Amino acid sequence: MTWAEMLPLIFLAVMGLSLLAYVVLDGYDLGVGLLLPLATSQEQKDTMISSIGPFWDANETWLVLGVGVLLVAFPMAHGLVLQALYLPVALMLIGLILRGVAFDFRVKAPPRYLPFWNRAFFMGSLLASASQGWMLGSYITGFDNGRLGLAFSLGIAFTLPAAYVLLGAGWLIMKTEGDLQAHAVRWARRVLWPVGAALVAISAATPLVNPAVVDKWFGVPEVFALAPIPLSCAAAFFAVRWVVTHPGVVRAGHGWVVFASTVLIFVLAFFGLAYSIYPDIVIGRMTVWEAAISTGSLTVIFVGVAITLPMIIVYTIYMYRVFWGKARALTYN
C-alpha cells in the first residue's frame, strides 16, 4: 500500500479513536447527569457532580478533535454528514451548552435556584445523549428517511442514553462509597437488562437497514472469525450482572468491573460498526479515499496531528491519575 493510500486510513483511525474516546469518556459523565434526579439528597447530587467535575470538560476535547479531523481531512464527507444531521447536531450542542452553564451555576446560585440548575443539567445530558443516538442511527442507515430508517434511528436515540446510564452507574460505583454507591449498584441492575435487550434488538435490525452488513458478518469464514466479538460482549454483560447482583463483590473493591465491562461493550460495538461500514466513510455514498483531500495537504496536516494527538493522550492520562480516588461533595471556596 502506498503512502497516498495509507494516509487517509491513518486519519480515519485518528478520527475513529477520537470519537470512541469521546463516547466512552463523555458517555459516563452524560450518564451521571441522567442519573442525577434519582439521588435522594442534595449531598449525593453534589458528590455525583464532583465525581465528574475534573474530567467532563476535557472529555469533550475528543469530540472537537474527531469532528476537526473529519472537517480538514474529509471535507466532502463532512459536508454530507453535517447537512443530513444539522438538526440533531444543533440540539446536541444546545444540550452540551446547557450542561456547561448548569454545572457552573448550580454551585454558585442561591439555594432556592439549585433544583432548577439540577434539572437543567439533567435536561442538557438527556438532549445531548438522545441527539447522539439519533445521529448514530441515521448514519448507520445511510440517512434513510423512510419508516424503517426513522424507527431504527429512534431506537438508538433511546438506547444510547440508557447505555450511558449504565456507564455512569459504573463510574459512580468506582468513584463513590456508602449509600450513593449502593444506589449506583441498584441503578446499574435496573438498567442492565433493558440495555442488553435493546442492543440485541439493534444488532438484529442492523442487517435490515444496511443489507451490506449481512455478507460481511454472516459469510464463511467471516462468521467464525468475528464470533469473538458478540461472545466477548455477552461475557462482559454477564460480568456486569454478576457484580451488581452480588453486593459483597462491590464491597470487596471489585466494583470497577462494572465500568470496565461496559467500556468493553462500547469498544467492541465500535469496532464491529467500523468493520461493517469499511471502506465507506459515508455509507453507500463515499469511500475514505474518495472523501480525502490531496496527499500533499494530508501530509502537512499529519505533522500537526502527530504532535497534537500524543499531547492530548498524555494530558488525559495525567489528569485521570491526578484526580483519581473517591469523590466528595463539590464545593467552591
Side-chain angles (χ1 to χ4, degrees):
M1 181 177 289
T2 66
W3 175 248
E5 294 171 329
M6 185 182 301
L7 199 52
L9 295 180
I10 294 174
F11 278 92
L12 182 66
V14 171
M15 184 178 70
L17 172 65
S18 302
L19 294 178
L20 174 61
Y22 170 77
V23 167
V24 171
L25 297 180
D26 205 42
Y28 75 72
D29 65 58
L30 285 167
V32 171
L34 292 171
L35 288 168
L36 195 64
L38 300 181
T40 56
S41 68
Q42 188 57 50
E43 183 181 358
Q44 288 187 359
K45 293 180 180 181
D46 289 341
T47 303
M48 291 170 69
I49 295 296
S50 177
S51 73
I52 63 174
F55 313 111
W56 74 274
D57 204 14
N59 291 341
E60 294 175 359
T61 302
W62 292 100
L63 177 63
V64 176
L65 178 61
V67 175
V69 170
L70 178 63
L71 172 62
V72 299
F74 309 105
M76 290 188 292
H78 179 274
L80 283 175
V81 171
L82 268 294
Q83 182 180 10
L85 300 177
Y86 182 85
L87 180 58
V89 167
L91 292 175
M92 180 188 72
L93 293 176
I94 292 172
L96 294 177
I97 292 170
L98 184 59
R99 273 168 47 87
V101 172
F103 183 89
D104 287 330
F105 274 65
R106 70 175 301 281
V107 293
K108 299 178 182 179
R112 65 179 182 275
Y113 295 119
L114 194 55
F116 170 81
W117 290 115
N118 285 336
R119 289 192 294 269
F121 193 81
F122 165 76
M123 289 304 301
S125 301
L126 179 61
L127 186 58
S129 56
S131 298
Q132 291 172 14
W134 182 275
M135 288 188 286
L136 176 59
S138 183
Y139 178 77
I140 292 174
T141 63
F143 311 118
D144 178 15
N145 291 322
R147 288 185 179 180
L148 184 59
L150 293 177
F152 185 82
S153 299
L154 184 63
I156 298 189
F158 281 104
T159 301
L160 189 61
Y164 283 165
V165 165
L166 181 59
L167 196 61
W171 176 259
L172 291 174
I173 292 171
M174 285 198 309
K175 294 287 288 182
T176 63
E177 51 193 3
D179 290 341
L180 181 54
Q181 186 184 61
H183 285 318
V185 171
R186 286 195 292 271
W187 297 334
R189 187 166 59 243
R190 290 174 184 173
V191 79
L192 180 61
W193 282 109
V195 169
L199 291 176
V200 170
I202 289 171
S203 298
T206 300
L208 299 177
V209 299
N210 189 354
V213 172
V214 177
D215 293 334
K216 285 194 170 185
W217 281 85
F218 300 105
V220 177
E222 290 84 358
V223 66
F224 299 106
L226 296 171
I229 294 179
L231 292 177
S232 298
C233 284
F237 178 87
F238 285 104
V240 174
R241 182 181 181 277
W242 173 260
V243 173
V244 299
T245 55
H246 293 78
V249 176
V250 176
R251 290 194 295 269
H254 302 296
W256 60 268
V257 172
V258 177
F259 183 77
S261 297
T262 308
V263 169
L264 178 60
I265 293 173
F266 272 84
V267 171
L268 292 172
F270 173 84
F271 280 107
L273 175 61
Y275 169 77
S276 298
I277 67 176
Y278 179 83
D280 288 352
I281 191 170
V282 180
I283 299 175
R285 301 189 188 186
M286 190 179 297
T287 67
V288 60
W289 296 283
E290 292 171 341
I293 57 176
S294 67
T295 302
S297 298
L298 283 179
T299 302
V300 174
I301 300 170
F302 175 80
V303 176
V305 171
I307 297 172
T308 304
L309 182 60
M311 292 176 63
I312 296 175
I313 293 174
V314 170
Y315 169 74
T316 300
I317 295 173
Y318 175 75
M319 175 185 65
Y320 275 86
R321 288 192 62 183
V322 169
F323 293 104
W324 198 252
K326 296 295 183 179
R328 297 292 183 267
L330 181 65
T331 59
Y332 278 70
N333 294 326

